[in-house]
Structures are given as C-alpha cells and as structure tokens.
Amino acid sequence: MATKTRVTRRPHMQSTSHALAMPLLRAVRNDGVVEDISEGDLYRYTRHRWVYNESRRLSERYLKFDLGQLLKAAVAGISSEGARYCVKVLKYKEGLNNKAYLLTMDNGAEVFARLPNPCAGPSFYTTASEVATRKFLHDVLDIPTPRTIAWSADRNNPVGAEYIIEEKAPAKPLGKLWQDWDEWPMKDRFTIIEQIVEIERKLTSTRFAKSGCIYFREDIPNSDALVTNPPLCSSILEREGSQEFVEAMAENETKFIQAHARPRMNYARSLTEPESPDEMLDLLDRYLQLAPAMVPQPSDDTHAPTLWHPDLHLDNVFVDPESKQITRVIDWQSAAVLPFFYQCGIPTMFKHQGPVSEDMTVWPKRPENYHNLEQDEKLMIDSLIGSECLNKYYLAITHNKNPRNWAGPTAARRRTNTTHTHCPEHLCPDAGPCPVSFNEQEMALYAHEEENRSYVSEILTLFRKNWRLLPDGSIESARFEEIQNELTQMREAFIGAADNEEDRLLAEKLWPYQDATDNCS
C-alpha cells in the first residue's frame, strides 16, 4: 500500500478555442428528466429542500470550484484514449454528501467526477481514505470498485476543491432494475444475494490488526503500516481490544464537551432550567462504567477489526441486466475498519420491514384464502412474502457461506436482548455488582422527558409515513410547498390542543420542524 495511485497531471490536450468554449451544462431532475442549467446550478444543492434550518443545510452543501480546472484534470487523465476536451457536463441527482457529474469528451468517452460537499467529513482525510480503500478492495480483495483516474484530497489544488475522477461504472444501478418482478424473478434476485454474500465473505475473511481508516503511506507519513491477520491472533486482540474502541468513543465525546459545550435549553425536560454540560459528562462516565457489558464475548468472533461497506443499498450496486452479474460496488466514502460487532448486519436492500424467523426450515407462504382476495390485497401479500423471502435467503446463504457474518448479528441481537433485561453482573459475572444506578428524582425526570419526546416522535413518524418527510426536514424540491402547507395545519392543531397556556408554550417549543437556535434543542 506504499505506492500512491495519484495520476500525474499531463499538459492540457486541447486547443485554445476549445479551452474557451463552455461545454453543455445539464442536470438530471428528481423525476429523471434532463434539463439545461446555468453554471451556478453546478455548485448549488438542488435535489432537496428543508422545512427547517434550510439555509444551514444548503450552505453545508454549496461547493464552488473551478470548473475549467476540473475538466482539465479529467481530460488529462484520459488523453491517452484520444480525449481532447469536454463537450458536456451532466449533473447527476445529488447525494447529501457529494456533487456528482458525468463528463462527456469530444471522442465520446465518459468519466465520472465526484466532489465532496463541506459536510461530507473531515477535509483531506475523507477523500484520501476513500481512494486508498478502493484500491485495497480492488487489488487485494478482488472486489469490483470503480477505477480511479485522477484525484486530489488537497482543496488548495487548481480545482479549488477535493475531487475524485473515476471510470463510469458499467451496467446499471440495481435500484433501476430491482422493482421489476417480471424481468427480475426470485431466482435472479437470489443470484444477486449470493454475489453480495461472497463480497461480504471476502471482507470478513480479512481481519485487521487495528481499527481505523486505510490510507496511502505518503498521505499519513507517521502512521503504522497496514497489517492484516488471517486469522487474527489473540495477542492482537489483547493489544487492540474492542472494549477500548467502545471507551474511545465516549472519551472523544468527553473531550469535545469539555472544550466546546455550554448550557442549553432542553424543552422536553424543562421550560425554564437549562441543561448543563456536566450532566452529559456524568452520563458518559456511567457509559464508561458499563462498557464491559456492551462488548460481545470474544468467542462470538465479533471483535476483530473488519472493513465493511458503510451504506450498501440498491443504487450502490451496479449490475449487468443480461448476465445478472455485479459489475461495480460504489460509494465507499467513510468506510472504516472497526470491530465487527459494531458494523455487521443485513444490507438494507435485503432487510424485510417486519419479523423474520431464523428457522431456515420455515418459509413464508400465501394464506389459504389468497385466491378469494382482491387484486390489490394479493399484490400486497406477494410483495411482503417476496421481501421476507429475500431476507431469509440472505440469512440462509450467509449462514452457509459466511458464518462469521451470521455469528455477528446473531450475537449482537442476543447481547442486546440480555442488556435490556439484566444488569452487568449477569453479563459480566467477574465484574461485580452493577456500577451504575439512578435515583428516583433522575428516573422521574427521565420519564417526564421521555413522555414529551414521545409526542414529537409521533409527529415525525406521521409525516414520514404519510408524506415521506424525513426527520431532518428534507423533502424533494417539487413537494416543498405541499409539505409546508400540511405542516402549518398540523402545527396549529398540535398547539391548539393544549389545555392551558403553559402546555401551549411547551407545544410551541417541542414542535420539531422549526429552525434551531444556539441555546435550545
């Protein structure tokens, strides 16, 4: 991993007239329609609007850069293939953390440019780690990731922003194919599941010496060498234990609070008394006392630091529609090597929204009166059965082909259930009595806050279920006015239901869809 794959920038291979010509600028709208845009639209976030804190959210996603220099870097990266200049820039539908552009050259070649928004993560480290991680995945684990053509993690480069220029992923994102049950019957979906499980098997078969992120050596000069250990020896577990990882998260929060926190209003608890940073520090101290109970037993094979995809969903998997073979797995931004129990689980694209039996001999089936039901009821039943079968097949293949990933979620579920019903002395027999307790006043205050927050949770759930409004307030731009009208009516009803002036003030403060101030939550 000592050799960096950064591409040396070649002289710009286009004439002066071409350099002065602006390529065609277009964008893909949320409904899939492609439209002409201005250069300013390239830099702005346009996919969503926010019903609260909008100016802050948009500023976190505004990225101004030198378009000409970005195109120069892209042309230089593939000039050996005959490209001389860029003729079209197509802005893709944005994710929350990155700008994405498809660049078409004069010879028809296409490359993809991704630029992280200011909110994507720590500058330099986020981009540098993603490039190195993808090279490790491709070269060492033989996992299909996009080929990097050129990149820079230094925002002081001529482009004026961090960027990754990569090949256009061949084939199509699975999200565009998965909904068609005629073209993708269950046997083809099972084929995709088998390929995903094989990719996960490659990840779980490689255990690292320490937790952290992967970088090229020259990007982090004083770092340790990348060390993997198949299998991981016990001495490494002793030196880099999972409990230390759990404790480090709390210690990091403690340092941040001590340096930056100040009293704030928590209206779910009190309309008059601010919440003190010392209270949070006390809770973190109790968390640290309970840390031994939060870590699975070493025999569960869940401790070893393991690399994992941070967000494996349908649009991050590209598939050839004809062969049904996965061609690329994209979006490894913020992928990290962490104790396996902390990140293992069922990919969201296979996860059934309901209970799934772990008994592999029992599979869902249609009810006896299925043929007497209305067509829409049949479609709903078939959809639910299909979803549960995909989840169950994933579990079955994982159990047979990747037992380590099977053990991870199973141990985590077992551990969680035990944690909720017993004190640490039952979880850690050698740890002695439970080190944490809460007095009656603390429990009463917690119950009061929990009751108030339950009202807020009901509102958030209502709008997410009926209007697809996420808790962070983001909504597709075309539906912004519609949602604002619904929110206005619901807010009036929520506040109007108060019995007295104090409850009315509480309802006004608890309403979740309003701009936050610096001294409240």
Side-chain angles (χ1 to χ4, degrees), residues 214-225:
I214 298 174
Y215 295 92
F216 293 116
R217 172 63 65 83
E218 56 265 39
D219 286 332
I220 314 290
N222 297 321
S223 62
D224 294 335

Side-chain angles (χ1 to χ4, degrees), residues 475-488:
I475 191 72
E476 290 184 353
S477 299
R479 302 181 57 231
F480 181 77
E481 297 299 333
E482 170 199 352
I483 297 301
Q484 282 285 45
N485 292 335
E486 296 290 346
L487 288 172
T488 298

